[in-house]
């Protein structure tokens, strides 16, 4: 059996880090088992579905390294959905009901007042053909409900273990609206069958749909897939994420210069038995985490943890992995520059600032006190003729011996004069890149300011 999973967003907004959690659990599950990943756009709502969101979701997934094996749109499969609905009608599993929303609400209130479960009473089933005809002559269009077998439905959830829902406690779900459009349930099952989906992995907000969907798979003669419902990402205060969580959309995280793998690691590892640690690619992440490691409690996360995780990831990112990005950003200095400066980065784009500091033509403006000015002037005189990795040690060693300065007093005026900053990367490996001429110019400028 080839594992086939699907990620099925509705293209009605941008996807956020919580949606990425679902996409990644699917991706990692399938790829670990040599399986396929289907990207299915649940775009049956023509009013709210937008082409721009389809493109954005595709791009966001590609940014994180997810490249679907197959992409489908539900809107292109309407005839299959119609055929399935007709089959259900023929089997008497799909029946017309005429209650208005107001009537249903009144029934519900009455049931609650009588302390009965608010389950649809199937009144529509006992309408005669004449009664139905009269309602339709009056202008009532039916919506269509799926007749549930009122039995217990069980499945062995890949995350939550053995689950059982008594279908008698559920209302027969509406599959087709009065205007003929489908709610999500039927197209989802029809497409899962057609695409050979073997594992449905999604958020636990869908647990309640699963019993109905299992009955639908069976009614339509499809193979019932395995199900796994993972916990949902919530903010620290316990709030869920929604399409309105703009700041946590993948697009805005990307615009903040965060690394896709930092976002991916947080999205997946939070709320599992594994520490939230950086991993450099999805293959590495795939070896770490599987659905059985997901905990049952909500996955509370703090978006403020992202920069620290991003920094950790950059701190051991090899030069070979960023060579092209550095070239694109106009940053030179090769391996030595990257390996020295990566320790000071929170986000990758900051590398261009450091490149400007080390190799730019603008010399910093600094104001030193008299002693430091003399010291820096002497440092200019003692600067070795040829700069290499050992020059810093030799240079500061000579200055230390001559001036008796040590520690901060020795290093800070040099750092300030050379970079204009009080903090920054180790200077020793950067001297050769900065070059003697630029250094002399900056030391002289600081000495005379
Ligand atoms: N389009 C549905 C959603 O976004 C898919 C749910 C599912 O995975 O079955 O919630």
């Amino acid at each position: 059996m080839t594992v086939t999973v699907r990620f099925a967003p509705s293209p009605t907004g941008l996807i956020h880090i919580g949606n990425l959690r679902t996409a990644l659990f699917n991706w990692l599950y399938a790829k670990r088992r040599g399986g396929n990943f289907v990207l299915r756009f649940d775009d049956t709502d023509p009013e709210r579905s937008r082409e721009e969101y389809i493109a954005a979701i595709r791009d966001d997934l590609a940014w994180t390294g997810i490249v679907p094996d197959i992409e489908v749109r539900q809107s292109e499969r309407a005839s299959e959905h119609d055929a399935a609905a007709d089959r259900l009608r023929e089997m008497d599993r799909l029946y017309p009901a005429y209650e208005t929303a107001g009537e249903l609400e009144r029934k519900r209130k009455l049931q609650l007042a009588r302390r009965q479960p608010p389950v649809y009473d199937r009144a529509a089933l006992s309408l005669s053909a004449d009664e139905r005809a009269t309602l339709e002559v009056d202008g009532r269009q039916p919506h269509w409900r799926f007749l549930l077998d009122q039995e217990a439905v069980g499945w062995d959830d890949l995350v939550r273990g053995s689950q059982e829902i008594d279908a008698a406690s559920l209302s027969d779900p509406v599959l087709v609206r009065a205007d003929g459009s489908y709610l999500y349930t039927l197209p989802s099952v029809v497409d899962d069958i057609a695409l050979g989906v073997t594992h449905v992995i999604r958020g636990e907000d869908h647990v309640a749909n699963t019993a109905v969907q299992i009955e639908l798979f069976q009614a339509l003669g499809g193979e019932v897939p395995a199900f796994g419902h993972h916990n949902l990402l919530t903010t620290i205060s316990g709030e869920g994420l929604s399409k309105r969580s703009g700041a946590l959309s993948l697009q805005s995280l990307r615009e903040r210069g965060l690394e896709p793998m930092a976002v991916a690691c947080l999205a997946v590892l939070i709320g599992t038995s594994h520490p939230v640690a950086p991993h450099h690619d999805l293959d590495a992440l795939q070896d770490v985490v599987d659905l059985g490691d997901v905990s049952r409690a909500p996955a509370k996360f703090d978006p403020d943890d992202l920069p620290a995780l991003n920094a950790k990831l950059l701190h051991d990112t090899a030069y070979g992995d960023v060579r092209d990005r550095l070239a694109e950003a106009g940053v030179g200095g090769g391996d030595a520059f990257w390996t020295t400066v990566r320790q000071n980065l929170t986000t990758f784009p900051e590398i261009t600032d450091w490149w400007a500091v080390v190799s730019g033509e603008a010399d910093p403006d600094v104001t030193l006190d008299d002693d430091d000015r003399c010291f820096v002037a002497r440092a200019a005189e003692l600067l070795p003729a040829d700069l290499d990795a050992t020059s810093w040690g030799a240079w500061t060693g000579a200055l230390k011996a001559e001036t008796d300065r040590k520690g901060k007093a020795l290093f800070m005026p040099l750092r300030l004069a050379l970079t204009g900053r009080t903090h920054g990367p180790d200077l020793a490996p950067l001297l050769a890149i900065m070059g003697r001429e630029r250094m002399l110019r900056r030391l002289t400028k600081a000495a005379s300011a």
Side-chain angles (χ1 to χ4, degrees):
M1 175 196 73
T2 307
V3 167
T4 300
V5 299
R6 87 297 194 273
F7 173 57
S10 308
T12 55
L14 295 174
I15 52 171
H16 53 62
I17 187 166
N19 305 123
L20 179 64
R21 181 174 177 81
T22 306
L24 280 171
F25 276 132
N26 276 287
W27 175 264
L28 299 173
Y29 190 89
K31 293 302 149 184
R32 190 174 196 165
R33 293 162 179 83
N36 293 321
F37 178 99
V38 178
L39 171 59
R40 187 184 82 199
F41 287 112
D42 286 2
D43 59 346
T44 48
D45 180 344
E47 307 268 285
R48 293 169 58 230
S49 300
R50 299 257 169 77
E51 207 55 42
E52 71 199 73
Y53 293 131
I54 291 198
I57 292 170
R58 209 184 272 136
D59 279 1
D60 284 344
L61 292 180
W63 177 67
T64 59
I66 294 179
V67 184
D69 298 288
I70 310 165
E71 184 184 301
V72 291
R73 296 185 186 202
Q74 286 199 317
S75 58
E76 289 168 358
R77 302 185 34 78
S79 59
E80 331 271 328
H81 306 150
D82 294 345
D86 286 344
R87 275 172 52 214
L88 291 172
R89 283 186 189 101
E90 278 157 26
M91 289 183 252
D92 289 329
R93 293 295 299 271
L94 193 61
Y95 63 92
Y98 296 82
E99 291 91 346
T100 62
E103 285 164 355
L104 289 172
E105 183 54 24
R106 275 196 293 285
K107 282 190 193 207
R108 216 179 65 88
K109 283 197 175 138
L110 208 63
Q111 285 169 316
L112 289 175
R114 291 178 181 150
R115 298 190 184 286
Q116 291 168 346
V119 174
Y120 176 61
D121 61 7
R122 294 184 161 174
L125 271 184
S126 43
L127 291 173
S128 67
D130 281 352
E131 287 168 319
R132 287 208 301 267
T134 312
L135 283 164
E136 291 188 24
V137 167
D138 285 351
R140 290 236 191 154
Q141 287 300 318
H143 50 272
W144 295 79
R145 289 186 184 264
F146 177 53
L147 186 71
L148 290 171
D149 270 339
Q150 292 183 322
E151 283 170 8
V153 180
W155 73 94
D156 193 12
D157 196 282
L158 297 165
V159 178
R160 300 159 63 90
S162 171
Q163 304 284 300
E164 194 174 87
I165 292 182
D166 181 5
S169 69
L170 304 174
S171 297
D172 288 338
V174 177
L175 300 189
V176 191
R177 297 186 187 91
D179 66 3
S181 67
Y182 293 99
L183 283 102
Y184 137 84
T185 313
L186 179 71
S188 180
V189 171
V190 170
D191 294 347
D192 284 343
I193 295 172
L195 293 160
V197 169
T198 57
H199 294 75
V200 171
I201 298 167
R202 55 189 178 186
E204 63 188 11
D205 50 335
H206 284 288
V207 170
N209 297 330
T210 302
V212 167
Q213 292 184 357
I214 288 176
E215 282 207 19
L216 259 180
F217 275 102
Q218 288 164 339
L220 293 170
E223 185 86 30
V224 179
F227 287 88
H229 295 89
H230 64 77
N231 54 5
L232 299 178
L233 280 193
T234 71
T235 61
I236 289 291
S237 57
E239 244 174 274
L241 307 184
S242 74
K243 296 231 159 90
R244 287 178 299 280
S245 314
L248 295 171
S249 72
L250 296 192
Q251 231 168 61
S252 67
L253 297 173
R254 193 167 157 181
E255 277 159 16
R256 279 171 56 193
L258 293 164
E259 299 298 298
M261 278 311 297
V263 177
C265 289
L266 187 74
V268 167
L269 293 173
I270 199 104
T272 71
S273 52
H274 300 280
V276 179
H279 298 277
H280 285 275
D281 53 42
L282 293 180
D283 288 350
L285 197 53
Q286 167 190 316
D287 294 336
V288 171
V289 68
D290 211 355
L291 279 182
D293 310 330
V294 176
S295 78
R296 295 286 298 269
K300 285 197 177 185
F301 91 111
D302 185 350
D304 292 342
D305 291 343
L306 269 173
L309 187 64
N310 199 74
K312 262 198 212 164
L313 186 79
L314 290 174
H315 295 176
D316 63 2
T317 294
Y319 173 63
D321 292 339
V322 285
R323 188 188 284 128
D324 295 346
R325 291 169 73 190
L326 291 169
E328 225 170 275
V331 173
D335 197 339
F337 183 74
W338 169 253
T339 310
T340 307
V341 177
R342 66 183 177 180
Q343 300 304 329
N344 291 79
L345 304 179
T346 302
T347 63
F348 183 85
E350 293 162 9
I351 190 86
T352 54
D353 298 342
W354 285 112
W355 180 240
V357 167
V358 172
S359 76
E361 288 315 310
D363 297 327
D365 291 313
V366 289
T367 316
L368 302 177
D369 65 23
D370 288 350
D371 277 358
D372 283 351
R373 277 209 301 273
C374 290
F375 170 71
V376 165
R378 184 68 186 130
E381 287 162 14
L382 289 181
L383 188 64
D386 294 316
L387 297 175
D388 60 26
T390 61
S391 309
W392 175 260
W395 184 39
T396 53
L399 280 164
K400 183 177 177 182
E402 190 179 301
T403 62
D404 255 0
R405 286 185 181 232
K406 55 182 194 264
K408 205 174 159 192
L410 177 67
F411 298 115
M412 190 54 81
L414 299 177
R415 177 175 291 286
L416 269 174
L418 292 173
T419 68
R421 306 195 180 192
T422 52
H423 294 285
D426 186 7
L427 288 175
L430 298 180
L431 298 194
I433 298 169
M434 201 176 273
R436 193 161 195 280
E437 197 185 318
R438 185 180 287 100
M439 286 179 71
L440 277 181
R441 209 171 64 213
R442 292 182 178 184
L443 293 165
T444 313
K445 180 174 173 187
S448 55

